[in-house]
Amino acid sequence: MALHRLLRLCQAVVLTLCVSATEDFDWTKNVIGSFHYGTFPTGFSWGAGSSAYQTEGAWDKEGKGMSIWDTFCHKKDRISQNATGDSSCEGYYKIKEDMSLMKDMKLNHYRFSISWPRILPSGMKSDQVNEKGIQHYDNLINMLMENHITPVVTLYHWDLPQALEEKYGGWQNSSMGNFFNDYASLCFERFGNRVKYWITFNNPWSMAVEGYETGEHAPGLRLKGTGAYKAAHNIIKAHATVWHTYDTKWRNKQKGMVGISLSADWGEPVDIMNEGDLEAADRYVQFYLGWFATPLFNGDYPQVMKDYVARKSAQQGLGASRLPSFHPHEMSYIKGTCDFLGIGHFTTRYITQKNYPSNRGAGYFADRDLAELVDPRWPNPGSEWLYSVPWGFRRLLNFVKTQYGNPMIYVTENGVSEKMMCTDLCDEWRMQYLRDYINEMLKAINDGVNVKGYTVWSLLDNFEWDEGYSERFGLYYVDFRSKSKPRYPKASVQYYKRIISSNGFPSQREVESWKRKATETCISSNQLLAADPLTSHMEMVTEIVVPTVCTLCILLSAVFIMFLLKGRP
Ligand code: NOJ
């Protein structure tokens, strides 16, 4: 009898242990900080990302047309230290070199974007196709295929052809959708036999809000209260058009997928017992991710967004909401146009309810009636806005699962930056960030979220938009002072490599050794980088001084010979 009781007790203990283990995966309970050792599903895809304007350089080479970012950066005082992407990482000329970096990491995929004005200089297919531009992307794709790295291609990472902005007002004009569709069709036609993952737009939230509402990004318009909503409306419809084009014309033959990459921070209520905070946090995510995802999955904007913008517009005395509406036929056209959802995620905010009176200037931010807060203890090594809050990632992924019917997700961007002046290649903070964010993604997969791949942002340090080169997101450090833009591995390259080769986090003992091992290798890279000024000096000597001295010698000898010949009888 006593034995039986003992057995029952043991059973109960085992049961509680199991319950607490599964509790770890209940995202609604605040279990923060526990690390989960385990691996990702077989076939999980590991990658790194880049975008054309941020890395290619060669802004006016081989027939490329101007983009709105070329124009924007060439104006004074728009970008930190008046930097431009004119040469950036010179990625246009370095695909071979960059390929070996990817190969060395054993990446499964590489996410890059095609520059629209590089292949259609005026933006319009009817004008001229730049075959040299096509050739460039052909080479890149072929090289990726030869190295068994799957190309994941973004059609639009913010570099609209300048001519389309000038002639039609860019994304304020619904005709952009047709031009974009022509451009996308050209890409499907030329590259679709090899490219199976297409992303129509990267982070349309930024395009709309920063491009057309706050003006921090190209084209720099400040159409407060209307600009962002109108741009977003046209972008959503343009996405749907391109998805339908692929679906009807290319899918059968090419068997690829078309998705979109949406960015979203997670919004956590300040006080989870306070109804106002709970609703405000939900609004934060709905105005961010839901603005684009809800139309694409459900056919219309989130109800809360429609209600709030309509109410604010009425308070301003406007006859109609500043948020445009979809016609019923448009709703059914845009609904269900995502074969996979790309998620770009970097950080989290605490959210509390806050009323913005309409006389304080109506606009996207005020429409939401909320305030954003951060915990000062959250690590914040680089960009001002980027706090490391790994648990927010798991919550966001679970939100996507429940809100949009558990779609197929590819994490298209996730990473952390450091300041430009930081030349320490032993990036302990990035290793920590990747370890913890990727671990939260693993927990989300165990929660049942359908995540198929992960893309670290970014492969290289690159042009960080209005911040110029002042923030470095790369796994590889790029020395922008040197003309040849050499790349140096940060410790996180080694760390990410180990995550990839183990397909996750095999055991505590092993994972704990990774940082130490990665730090050993970065010390020698630090020495190489420290010697870089000497190398660039030598580069200058070979490139400028040697040819100049040689020319002078030849000239002097010629003069001397002439002088000798003249002196002869
Ligand atoms: C999202 C953008 O898509 C990317 O271009 C940018 O570099 C990162 N965020 C970091 O800010």
Side-chain angles (χ1 to χ4, degrees):
M1 207 48 189
L3 185 68
H4 188 72
R5 251 196 232 142
L6 191 68
L7 273 177
R8 289 283 293 269
L9 188 73
C10 287
Q11 217 176 18
V13 170
V14 170
L15 210 69
T16 353
L17 282 178
C18 293
V19 168
S20 52
T22 54
E23 249 177 18
D24 194 19
F25 297 104
D26 183 351
W27 74 286
T28 55
K29 303 214 171 92
N30 243 329
V31 190
I32 290 168
S34 58
F35 195 86
H36 178 72
Y37 291 94
T39 51
F40 283 81
T42 322
F44 190 83
S45 189
W46 299 98
S50 73
S51 87
Y53 188 74
Q54 291 180 278
T55 47
E56 279 180 0
W59 72 282
D60 60 348
K61 297 289 184 301
E62 302 198 326
K64 176 181 165 295
M66 290 272 278
S67 82
I68 54 173
W69 273 94
D70 291 316
T71 311
F72 192 64
C73 294
H74 290 164
K75 289 184 185 150
K76 263 203 129 205
D77 298 331
R78 297 300 181 111
I79 309 292
S80 165
Q81 297 181 354
N82 286 317
T84 71
D86 288 2
S87 56
S88 188
C89 310
E90 300 281 19
Y92 188 71
Y93 303 106
K94 284 174 164 272
I95 51 176
K96 240 190 182 161
E97 186 180 325
D98 291 340
M99 198 64 54
S100 63
L101 307 181
M102 296 184 231
K103 239 171 85 175
D104 177 60
M105 278 195 284
K106 299 210 166 54
L107 292 188
N108 302 117
H109 69 264
Y110 176 52
R111 177 186 175 213
F112 66 93
S113 78
I114 294 178
S115 157
W116 183 349
R118 195 177 286 290
I119 66 171
L120 293 175
S122 75
M124 285 179 263
K125 200 173 165 190
S126 50
D127 279 352
Q128 183 217 341
V129 177
N130 179 27
E131 290 299 334
K132 283 199 172 148
I134 300 261
Q135 189 61 54
H136 168 75
Y137 296 110
D138 255 336
N139 295 343
L140 172 58
I141 294 165
N142 289 343
M143 223 179 271
L144 286 167
M145 306 295 286
E146 280 157 25
N147 289 295
H148 310 288
I149 300 172
T150 306
V152 176
V153 179
T154 312
L155 289 165
Y156 188 94
H157 203 123
W158 305 355
D159 43 358
L160 183 75
Q162 174 64 20
L164 295 182
E165 182 64 39
E166 272 167 28
K167 275 195 201 151
Y168 302 96
W171 292 105
Q172 290 300 295
N173 192 322
S174 63
S175 66
M176 254 349 75
N178 298 330
F179 298 124
F180 183 60
N181 191 42
D182 288 347
Y183 155 65
S185 306
L186 176 67
C187 293
F188 298 151
E189 181 192 327
R190 297 298 192 91
F191 312 121
N193 56 345
R194 288 151 294 159
V195 176
K196 305 298 165 195
Y197 295 88
W198 294 101
I199 294 168
T200 52
F201 290 100
N202 174 71
N203 191 352
W205 182 92
S206 240
M207 288 166 62
V209 173
E210 295 174 301
Y212 294 92
E213 171 114 0
T214 66
E216 293 155 279
H217 281 187
L221 299 181
R222 297 196 176 105
L223 309 168
K224 211 170 160 208
T226 55
Y229 294 136
K230 208 168 174 189
H233 202 67
N234 291 328
I235 291 165
I236 292 166
K237 288 197 283 183
H239 163 87
T241 309
V242 167
W243 184 90
H244 280 286
T245 298
Y246 190 81
D247 199 47
T248 51
K249 279 207 194 142
W250 304 97
R251 191 187 294 281
N252 259 344
K253 213 177 355 157
Q254 300 187 344
K255 311 231 170 332
M257 293 200 284
V258 177
I260 190 168
S261 174
L262 302 180
S263 283
D265 297 349
W266 174 245
E268 180 76 4
V270 166
D271 176 0
I272 53 164
M273 304 306 279
N274 178 322
E275 197 56 35
D277 283 1
L278 286 171
E279 285 175 8
D282 180 61
R283 276 201 305 285
Y284 179 76
V285 183
Q286 296 294 358
F287 267 76
Y288 212 140
L289 177 70
W291 184 6
F292 299 92
T294 317
L296 300 182
F297 286 99
N298 302 339
D300 199 2
Y301 292 119
Q303 191 58 45
V304 70
M305 199 172 171
K306 293 202 288 186
D307 293 346
Y308 268 68
V309 185
R311 187 157 56 84
K312 294 278 173 162
S313 309
Q315 283 168 4
Q316 283 176 272
L318 300 174
S321 174
R322 284 179 279 102
L323 183 71
S325 50
F326 295 111
H327 299 294
H329 68 269
E330 288 176 332
M331 290 184 188
S332 45
Y333 187 71
I334 59 178
K335 185 176 170 173
T337 56
C338 250
D339 300 325
F340 65 90
L341 179 62
I343 289 286
H345 173 76
F346 292 87
T347 193
T348 282
R349 292 287 180 270
Y350 276 122
I351 305 295
T352 188
Q353 156 71 31
K354 180 177 181 207
N355 277 339
Y356 279 89
S358 55
N359 57 8
R360 293 256 310 273
Y364 167 83
F365 291 101
D367 285 343
R368 304 172 307 168
D369 267 351
L370 56 87
E372 301 175 34
L373 305 164
V374 294
D375 182 335
R377 288 167 302 181
W378 289 342
N380 168 230
S383 312
E384 207 189 324
W385 53 271
L386 207 172
Y387 292 83
S388 172
V389 195
W391 51 263
F393 194 18
R394 181 182 182 184
R395 287 170 191 234
L396 179 78
L397 291 170
N398 271 283
F399 175 91
V400 171
K401 174 186 164 215
T402 45
Q403 289 268 317
Y404 312 117
N406 204 10
M408 182 192 291
I409 297 176
Y410 278 87
V411 174
T412 39
E413 282 185 21
N414 175 244
V416 69
S417 57
E418 65 259 352
K419 302 260 188 267
M420 169 173 68
M421 297 312 281
C422 174
T423 50
D424 187 0
L425 300 177
C426 300
D427 54 347
E428 146 77 38
W429 55 91
R430 184 169 288 101
M431 290 191 274
Q432 190 67 33
Y433 180 101
L434 294 180
R435 167 191 182 271
D436 294 344
Y437 269 76
I438 292 174
N439 198 247
E440 292 298 315
M441 175 173 69
L442 176 59
K443 291 179 190 172
I445 291 176
N446 290 338
D447 298 336
V449 185
N450 191 13
V451 187
K452 296 288 191 196
Y454 173 87
T455 318
V456 70
W457 187 264
S458 49
L459 179 67
L460 306 174
D461 289 341
N462 57 39
F463 177 81
E464 180 53 19
W465 309 112
D466 52 320
E467 301 299 340
Y469 295 96
S470 65
E471 292 168 11
R472 297 176 174 274
F473 276 87
L475 292 182
Y476 282 87
Y477 179 96
V478 175
D479 188 352
F480 294 106
R481 297 164 305 176
S482 169
K483 220 177 126 201
S484 59
K485 311 290 167 78
R487 285 86 158 115
Y488 297 90
K490 299 180 191 173
S492 47
V493 168
Q494 290 302 324
Y495 198 84
Y496 189 44
K497 248 172 109 166
R498 289 184 194 270
I499 298 180
I500 297 175
S501 62
S502 315
N503 196 29
F505 306 96
S507 72
Q508 184 167 3
R509 231 182 93 217
E510 203 171 330
V511 173
E512 275 170 7
S513 73
W514 288 355
K515 246 192 214 167
R516 187 174 33 82
K517 289 183 185 153
T519 315
E520 278 162 17
T521 57
C522 66
I523 295 173
S524 53
S525 310
N526 265 338
Q527 284 162 354
L528 277 177
L529 177 61
D532 191 57
L534 192 66
T535 324
S536 359
H537 190 74
M538 279 158 59
E539 242 173 44
M540 195 189 75
V541 169
T542 42
E543 276 178 21
I544 305 169
V545 181
V546 172
T548 319
V549 170
C550 287
T551 323
L552 270 176
C553 285
I554 294 168
L555 274 174
L556 279 174
S557 334
V559 172
F560 185 65
I561 292 169
M562 270 169 57
F563 188 73
L564 276 182
L565 289 176
K566 255 195 169 176
R568 277 189 153 189

